[in-house]
Amino acid sequence: MNVFAPLLGSDRPSAVRWLLVGTLGFLALLTLLEVLPWQVALAVAALAFAAAIVFSTGRFATKARKDTDPVSTNGFAGLSVDHLAEALADPLIIIDANGAIVLANAAARAAFGDFRPGTLLQLRFRTPEFQAFVARLLSDEAGPQMTEYAERVPIERWYRVVGRPAGDGSGLSVLVFKDQSEVRRIDRMRSDFIANASHELRTPLASIAGFIETLRGPARGDAKAREHFLQIMHEQTGRMARLIDDLLSLSRLEMKTYANPSDSIDLTNLVRGVIDALRHLAEEVGVEIVREGADGPVPVLGQRDELIQVFENLLENACKYGQTGGRVVVTVDAGDGVADGPSVTVRDFGPGISEEHIPRLTERFYRVDVETSRAQKGTGLGLAIVKHILTRHNARLTIRSELNEGASFTVHFAPR
């Protein structure tokens, strides 16, 4: 690197250069006239040279900082508090020392409605916990304050609210609302799932333990009772095995990535294979399976084994719970390929389902009739598995039913 570049470069002020040149010339003249010893002149020249470099470099650095300062180049200094607040995705409210609303960003207005400036925050959020939170925030208590707030109309939403003073002596406080609704929903679902799974496993285990105790005691020498109890124990262990298999299926589905399957599947052949596989079950319960709709290829994107599991669940449910109708109709529709994609409808002619049960049928362990479900060896997880698989396939399930009119379950695929 050239040490003279900072001084002699074209971007240096010309006054610095000429001052240095003049100083060096004057010192040289004094030396020639023997006014100054050459050692003193050389020392003075070195000091002048160093001072010129420091002065010039400092000015250059200052200019460079100004040229590259993001505050200046990006216009950050021109942003107002309103602009910054509006850019936040979380609801934000600023209040004054009396609790009156000074500013509410767009996210806050979308979540809680419009705020009129000057309105007391305590009049909008009336829960005792929130009132105490605001009181602490407006008092002299040091540090940020935190509380939880729930909105239950029109839908339930939970927020974690953090408030803190906005600078010393400003009298303003900032409240940020962090939506916790999805976290709470997942926690509640997990708790319900564990409770339901424990209950479903505890019942057959208790039965088996009771039968074992009976076989070791009063029924020790009764061959007929022993055979009866062993048969029940076999059924209960089979029920637990089915439940564990379904739980593992759900776990595997939840662990998979959300990338949609991309294999091309012929829906017509797949449904025909499922019908052939379950025809023996239908004959055992006195149900005839009728296939209608498209006969030619109906291609969809999917994962073959998972789609087989979907239609096996739907067809098996139709045969078990709609067996009083004596018939199940499976219809394959190719769709128009533009607005409507392919679909498969499984319809039974059994007792039907009450309207209030339909929205909850895909919940884990939800049953319309617990005794009937257990009698049919159901685990309460079949439709939950169907829902998970269809979500992965960018498909959806619609359910229509009326009492004494049967029920229809339709799988809709997206157009290709």
Side-chain angles (χ1 to χ4, degrees), residues 285-344:
V285 296
V287 172
E288 177 190 8
I289 301 177
V290 179
R291 189 176 67 84
E292 297 180 349
D295 286 326
V298 178
V300 296
L301 295 179
Q303 207 281 330
R304 183 176 183 82
D305 291 339
E306 292 183 2
L307 291 181
I308 287 175
Q309 191 173 8
V310 165
F311 294 115
E312 281 183 345
N313 270 314
L314 294 179
L315 190 53
E316 187 174 346
N317 284 348
C319 292
K320 287 180 178 179
Y321 302 112
Q323 59 184 277
T324 56
R327 186 163 62 104
V328 170
V329 177
V330 182
T331 305
V332 179
D333 186 352
D336 59 15
V338 181
D340 297 323
S343 64
V344 178

Side-chain angles (χ1 to χ4, degrees), residues 3-115:
V3 295
F4 298 99
L7 184 63
L8 303 178
S10 61
D11 55 350
R12 301 279 61 81
S14 60
V16 175
R17 295 199 301 272
W18 285 113
L19 178 61
L20 180 60
V21 171
T23 301
L24 294 176
F26 181 68
L27 290 173
L29 179 62
L30 292 178
T31 303
L32 292 174
L33 296 176
E34 296 183 351
V35 176
L36 287 176
W38 68 269
Q39 295 92 340
V40 175
L42 182 60
V44 174
L47 289 174
F49 189 75
I53 290 179
V54 170
F55 174 75
S56 180
T57 305
R59 290 195 52 155
F60 177 73
T62 302
K63 181 177 182 299
R65 284 196 299 270
K66 289 182 178 179
D67 291 343
T68 59
D69 190 349
V71 174
S72 301
T73 57
N74 296 333
F76 180 78
L79 291 177
S80 66
V81 175
D82 290 355
H83 292 136
L84 296 176
E86 293 296 319
L88 290 178
D90 295 323
L92 177 143
I93 298 175
I94 300 178
I95 59 175
D96 63 17
N98 298 316
I101 297 173
V102 176
L103 181 146
N105 69 353
R109 296 191 298 272
F112 309 117
D114 288 334
F115 293 91

Side-chain angles (χ1 to χ4, degrees), residues 88-414:
L88 290 178
D90 295 323
L92 177 143
I93 298 175
I94 300 178
I95 59 175
D96 63 17
N98 298 316
I101 297 173
V102 176
L103 181 146
N105 69 353
R109 296 191 298 272
F112 309 117
D114 288 334
F115 293 91
R116 181 176 300 174
T119 302
L120 289 178
L121 187 70
Q122 297 93 322
L123 298 180
R124 177 58 183 83
F125 303 96
R126 296 176 177 271
T127 62
E129 296 83 5
F130 201 94
Q131 298 282 327
F133 160 75
V134 175
R136 292 195 309 271
L137 184 62
L138 298 179
S139 69
D140 294 331
E141 294 187 24
Q145 304 297 325
M146 186 176 67
T147 189
E148 291 188 347
Y149 175 74
E151 285 272 331
R152 292 182 170 84
V153 178
I155 60 174
E156 185 178 68
R157 292 176 300 172
W158 286 86
Y159 295 92
R160 180 169 59 86
V161 190
V162 177
R164 65 178 66 205
D168 296 333
S170 68
L172 301 177
S173 298
V174 179
L175 292 81
V176 178
F177 294 71
K178 192 69 177 179
D179 196 338
Q180 302 290 301
S181 306
E182 185 66 14
V183 174
R184 282 181 169 266
R185 186 187 69 82
I186 292 173
D187 286 343
R188 188 184 302 120
M189 183 185 301
R190 183 184 297 111
S191 299
D192 292 344
F193 177 72
I194 292 173
N196 289 329
S198 300
H199 173 75
E200 292 294 330
L201 288 171
R202 187 182 298 114
T203 302
L205 284 173
S207 299
I208 292 172
F211 292 136
I212 292 174
E213 184 178 351
T214 303
L215 290 173
R216 296 177 65 182
R220 180 188 297 270
D222 189 337
K224 184 177 181 181
R226 182 170 62 248
E227 184 63 28
H228 175 66
F229 291 151
L230 287 174
Q231 178 62 32
I232 297 177
M233 291 168 64
H234 177 73
E235 293 174 357
Q236 295 294 335
T237 54
R239 178 185 164 195
M240 285 192 294
R242 290 191 300 274
L243 177 61
I244 291 171
D245 287 342
D246 284 349
L247 289 173
L248 291 174
S249 294
L250 273 177
S251 297
R252 283 192 294 268
L253 289 170
E254 291 174 346
M255 289 174 63
K256 290 181 179 179
T257 61
Y258 285 96
N260 295 333
S262 57
D263 295 338
S264 182
I265 307 295
D266 182 0
L267 204 54
T268 304
N269 284 337
L270 186 141
V271 170
R272 185 183 291 116
V274 171
I275 291 174
D276 292 340
L278 293 182
R279 200 175 295 278
H280 70 283
L281 172 65
E283 292 174 354
E284 288 178 2
V285 296
V287 172
E288 177 190 8
I289 301 177
V290 179
R291 189 176 67 84
E292 297 180 349
D295 286 326
V298 178
V300 296
L301 295 179
Q303 207 281 330
R304 183 176 183 82
D305 291 339
E306 292 183 2
L307 291 181
I308 287 175
Q309 191 173 8
V310 165
F311 294 115
E312 281 183 345
N313 270 314
L314 294 179
L315 190 53
E316 187 174 346
N317 284 348
C319 292
K320 287 180 178 179
Y321 302 112
Q323 59 184 277
T324 56
R327 186 163 62 104
V328 170
V329 177
V330 182
T331 305
V332 179
D333 186 352
D336 59 15
V338 181
D340 297 323
S343 64
V344 178
T345 300
V346 179
R347 183 186 179 190
D348 66 68
F349 297 85
I353 305 168
S354 298
E355 184 178 355
E356 66 269 19
H357 294 295
I358 293 177
R360 301 191 60 187
L361 287 178
T362 56
E363 293 181 14
R364 300 175 181 184
F365 296 109
Y366 186 82
R367 295 180 173 94
V368 175
D369 187 327
V370 176
E371 294 303 322
T372 301
S373 176
R374 288 180 176 172
Q376 297 294 342
K377 302 180 181 180
T379 63
L381 295 172
L383 290 179
I385 292 173
V386 167
K387 179 181 177 181
H388 273 272
I389 294 175
L390 294 182
T391 299
R392 236 174 65 78
H393 283 72
N394 195 26
R396 58 189 176 91
L397 177 70
T398 59
I399 305 172
R400 293 184 175 84
S401 180
E402 294 182 10
L403 286 177
N404 302 317
E405 296 292 336
S408 63
F409 294 76
T410 303
V411 175
H412 303 269
F413 293 90

